[in-house]
Amino acid sequence: MDAASANTLGHLEAEVSELNTVVRVLSSTPSLADSDDRSEVGGAVGLFKTALRRLPQADSLYVGYDNGCWLQVRRLDELDPTERERLGAPQGAVYNVNLVRPTSGGALPMRRIFEDEQGNKIDQLDLWDYGYDARKRVWYRDTMQANRALVSSPYASFSIGTPMITVSAPLQRQVRGVIAADLKLDKFSDLVYAQRPGEHGTAIIFDSFGVLIAYPEFAVMRRWDGSDHYEGSIRDEDGRDYLFRVRKFSQGDKYSGYSLLLAAEDDFVQNVRTLQSRGIIIALIAGGCFIPAVWIFGNRMSTSLKRITAQASRLRTLAAPDDAPVTSHIAEIDELGRTMAVAQRSIWSFARFVPKDIVKGIIDSSISPELGGARQEVTILFTDVTNFTGIAETADPDSLMRQTSRHFAALTEAFLVEGGTIDKFIGDSVMVFWNAPHLQLDHVERACRAALAAKAASEALNTQFEAEGLRPFTVRFGIHFGDAVVGNVGSAERMNYTALGNSVNLAARLEGLNKEYGTTILVSEAVRKRVDNCFRFKAIASVIAKGMTVETKVYELVEAVA
């Protein structure tokens, strides 16, 4: 074996050797899902960070266990801005740590953490039903079946879109699982290029099936997406142009691979180039005759399409529709403009009846339009107007409708400022919840601020009502947080995105208790404990709310702590 090949294979052996070192350490520790000890996770993360610093070609290290637990550590400072954007990495983040720990019910939530070079947490995202099961992935199944270290065929990374190979090895002794490293082929190919024998030498790496792993002139392979057929042209260092083609081949059921063919253009395209030059001249002459007419026609078409594009952008942001649709002498563009105007007005009107966050989620597919939901933690707020029935009996219906609408508008503004999702208006009551459809780490604090702001807005509005000779609306609030089922409920013909469960019922009961204790904003003990450092509370009583079986301590929310 020559020195260049020996050096190249030596780097692959170094990757496997480092992987085996991590295998020996992890094999002597329990699965991360078998213990609640955070030091076990921290130790594994630190081990992976050390290995990543020793393996400059590695994109990430990860381990999957047979109980569904999965841990991944990825180094971010080697990624370009596009790759960081794909991962949602915040500024200053050097490491991305992903941890999946299955729950007793079989769910697979994932915690995604971004850290700086010193290991300090910058950001964290909890995906409660992420659903990633390492045991069903090809790298896990193949390695467990072979019971030895494996090197995968090249593929395009799903998360950052660059060429990769995966080196994997099974864990040993009492722990069952697989540890793996993803290697970026662009860096690995640069390493191979440095080992080429002589100025014009070439170094190529194939796996055991004949699949190309690394090649110095990786301009051919950098843009390859792993498809069965890929072709194009490249230029070498001397300025000579080559045509290339990558095609998949197979030999029965025994094996398959890829072939790469390179050919110099000058060998067979001289006559084609002559014809091409003549064709260009003819095309320029013909084009010169039609350019003025095409320019005028194209400019008008472009103006219409730009206006339609602007309408489409406004459609995504749920902005108010344009007064007049886009028209054109071209039937297809005219029809497209009228259809876009109808769609824009329909979606805008739809957003007046349904929370805008839910409408946007349906448009961008982040919220499913199908029936069903998922359990997650939410904060729920209910409001009600004191003696609304008595006010309604003596008020003029039209005047009452306008007064109620003004009341709801003031409360709605306070809730939306704090990111609340207004579930529904129930007579004179409002139901609002936080932390869905989008996660909000401070959802309890948001709900408390919203209640205080809504109370202040209602008091200011009551001053106007009294000046106009109208009876004031004294509003009461109830706040609680806990687990609830959030999603679409109803029928296939009519459904509502809402929250259901005991947590919702308790929030409604707390609102009703205000009448008994002469208070305005009542919260549960869970709310007080979560935000006790942000607000001042007054203890009221310990009660068993209507429909409940467990005693609950209730508190009055007084004010925010400066």
Side-chain angles (χ1 to χ4, degrees):
M1 180 183 294
D2 57 81
S5 299
N7 286 334
T8 299
L9 294 179
H11 283 283
L12 269 179
E13 292 173 357
E15 307 286 353
V16 177
S17 175
E18 188 66 30
L19 199 62
N20 285 333
T21 300
V22 180
V23 167
R24 287 193 294 272
V25 176
L26 288 183
S27 295
S28 61
T29 61
S31 168
L32 302 180
D34 293 335
S35 172
D36 292 331
D37 188 357
R38 295 185 178 179
S39 64
E40 296 288 347
V41 178
V45 171
L47 182 65
F48 281 4
K49 288 180 179 178
T50 301
L52 285 173
R53 286 190 288 268
R54 295 176 180 174
L55 302 175
Q57 288 76 38
D59 171 68
S60 68
L61 279 170
Y62 46 93
V63 60
Y65 295 94
D66 63 349
N67 53 20
C69 188
W70 178 71
L71 172 67
Q72 179 191 39
V73 178
R74 169 182 275 123
R75 191 169 180 91
L76 303 174
D77 55 351
E78 298 292 331
L79 303 182
D80 60 41
T82 300
E83 293 169 341
R84 291 179 65 93
E85 183 178 357
R86 285 175 177 264
L87 294 173
Q91 186 175 3
V94 177
Y95 293 102
N96 169 214
V97 180
N98 296 317
L99 177 62
V100 172
R101 301 184 76 171
T103 65
S104 59
L108 294 168
M110 185 178 82
R111 171 159 293 179
R112 176 170 291 168
I113 300 174
F114 294 97
E115 298 179 349
D116 60 17
E117 182 68 42
Q118 288 72 38
N120 300 315
K121 182 168 68 175
I122 297 177
D123 196 7
Q124 175 179 313
L125 178 63
D126 289 319
L127 306 174
W128 300 109
D129 196 16
Y130 188 70
Y132 181 86
D133 193 343
R135 297 165 297 186
K136 298 180 180 179
R137 311 303 292 185
V138 173
W139 59 269
Y140 185 98
R141 295 200 314 265
D142 288 354
T143 307
M144 291 294 287
Q145 183 176 0
N147 196 29
R148 61 179 177 83
L150 295 178
V151 179
S152 75
S153 300
Y155 62 92
S157 170
F158 173 79
S159 55
I160 60 176
T162 58
M164 294 275 192
I165 61 172
T166 296
V167 181
S168 57
L171 297 180
Q172 302 164 356
R173 293 195 291 273
Q174 74 274 19
V175 180
R176 286 182 54 80
V178 174
I179 183 171
D182 287 342
L183 310 180
K184 295 179 67 176
L185 284 184
D186 51 357
K187 290 188 176 181
F188 203 79
S189 298
D190 291 340
L191 183 147
V192 175
Y193 182 85
Q195 304 299 329
R196 62 177 182 168
E199 180 179 358
H200 301 290
T202 299
I204 303 175
I205 299 176
F206 292 86
D207 67 6
S208 60
F209 297 95
V211 179
L212 183 65
I213 293 178
Y215 174 67
E217 306 296 340
F218 221 85
V220 177
M221 305 302 294
R222 287 182 192 274
R223 298 183 297 273
W224 181 43
D225 60 1
S227 59
D228 293 348
H229 184 85
Y230 176 55
E231 60 184 29
S233 62
I234 57 173
R235 175 169 294 179
D236 66 8
E237 297 175 351
D238 298 326
R240 179 173 296 174
D241 293 324
Y242 291 85
L243 301 175
F244 69 84
R245 172 181 293 174
V246 179
R247 298 189 67 178
K248 186 176 183 179
F249 64 89
S250 61
Q251 182 66 35
D253 297 330
K254 295 182 179 179
Y255 65 90
S256 63
Y258 292 87
S259 64
L260 170 63
L261 301 178
L262 289 167
E265 289 187 5
D266 292 339
D267 292 343
F268 57 91
V269 298
Q270 293 181 355
N271 294 333
V272 174
R273 287 183 175 175
T274 300
L275 294 175
Q276 183 182 35
S277 300
R278 293 177 181 175
I280 291 175
I281 295 174
I282 296 174
L284 289 174
I285 295 174
C289 300
F290 291 99
I291 284 178
V294 171
W295 183 85
I296 296 174
F297 180 78
N299 187 58
R300 292 180 178 177
M301 182 185 298
S302 175
T303 300
S304 298
L305 291 176
K306 286 180 179 178
R307 290 185 58 194
I308 293 175
T309 302
Q311 284 186 337
S313 298
R314 294 169 63 85
L315 181 67
R316 291 194 296 270
T317 60
L318 305 183
D322 296 334
D323 294 333
V326 177
T327 59
S328 174
H329 294 294
I330 301 175
E332 290 78 4
I333 295 180
D334 186 75
E335 181 66 22
L336 177 61
R338 296 182 186 278
T339 302
M340 182 60 69
V342 172
Q344 190 179 16
R345 182 167 295 278
S346 299
I347 295 297
W348 178 75
S349 300
F350 181 45
R352 307 294 292 274
F353 293 90
V354 178
K356 287 187 177 181
D357 284 345
I358 297 176
V359 177
K360 291 179 180 178
I362 294 174
I363 292 175
D364 63 21
S365 299
S366 62
I367 296 179
S368 171
E370 302 297 329
L371 291 172
R375 180 173 293 276
Q376 69 181 82
E377 184 181 86
V378 292
T379 300
I380 309 100
L381 179 149
F382 276 90
T383 77
D384 191 31
V385 174
T386 303
N387 193 30
F388 183 79
T389 301
I391 297 175
E393 288 176 350
T394 60
D396 176 71
D398 290 339
S399 175
L400 179 64
M401 183 67 72
R402 288 192 294 271
Q403 184 180 2
T404 304
S405 297
R406 291 167 64 186
H407 167 74
F408 282 150
L411 298 188
T412 297
E413 182 177 358
F415 297 147
L416 293 181
V417 166
E418 294 297 337
T421 298
I422 299 177
D423 183 283
K424 59 176 72 71
F425 297 101
I426 314 168
D428 58 311
S429 303
V430 186
M431 174 182 170
V432 192
F433 56 81
W434 281 261
N435 206 35
H438 304 298
L439 294 179
Q440 298 164 318
L441 299 180
D442 58 343
H443 54 93
V444 180
E445 183 179 344
R446 287 172 178 262
C448 292
R449 285 199 305 264
L452 292 172
K455 176 185 175 184
S458 177
E459 292 172 348
L461 187 60
N462 282 335
T463 302
Q464 300 179 23
F465 287 162
E466 291 175 347
E468 298 170 10
L470 300 174
R471 296 179 64 178
F473 282 2
T474 302
V475 65
R476 303 176 305 214
F477 304 84
I479 306 174
H480 176 60
F481 89 89
D483 286 346
V485 177
V486 181
N488 298 323
V489 65
S491 67
E493 297 298 325
R494 183 178 177 85
M495 62 184 68
N496 180 36
Y497 185 86
T498 187
L500 301 174
N502 286 335
S503 297
V504 179
N505 297 335
L506 181 54
R509 300 293 185 267
L510 290 174
E511 181 277 315
L513 288 175
N514 282 290
K515 182 177 181 181
E516 181 176 344
Y517 294 106
T519 53
T520 302
I521 306 175
L522 281 183
V523 304
S524 65
E525 185 175 21
V527 171
R528 184 195 66 81
K529 287 182 176 179
R530 177 66 69 90
V531 294
D532 190 42
N533 61 328
C534 300
F535 301 91
R536 188 166 66 86
F537 297 92
K538 177 182 177 182
I540 299 299
S542 294
V543 301
I544 298 178
K546 182 180 179 181
M548 303 293 173
T549 59
V550 180
E551 187 175 67
T552 303
K553 291 184 179 180
V554 296
Y555 299 82
E556 182 181 14
L557 173 60
V558 180
E559 61 184 355
V561 177

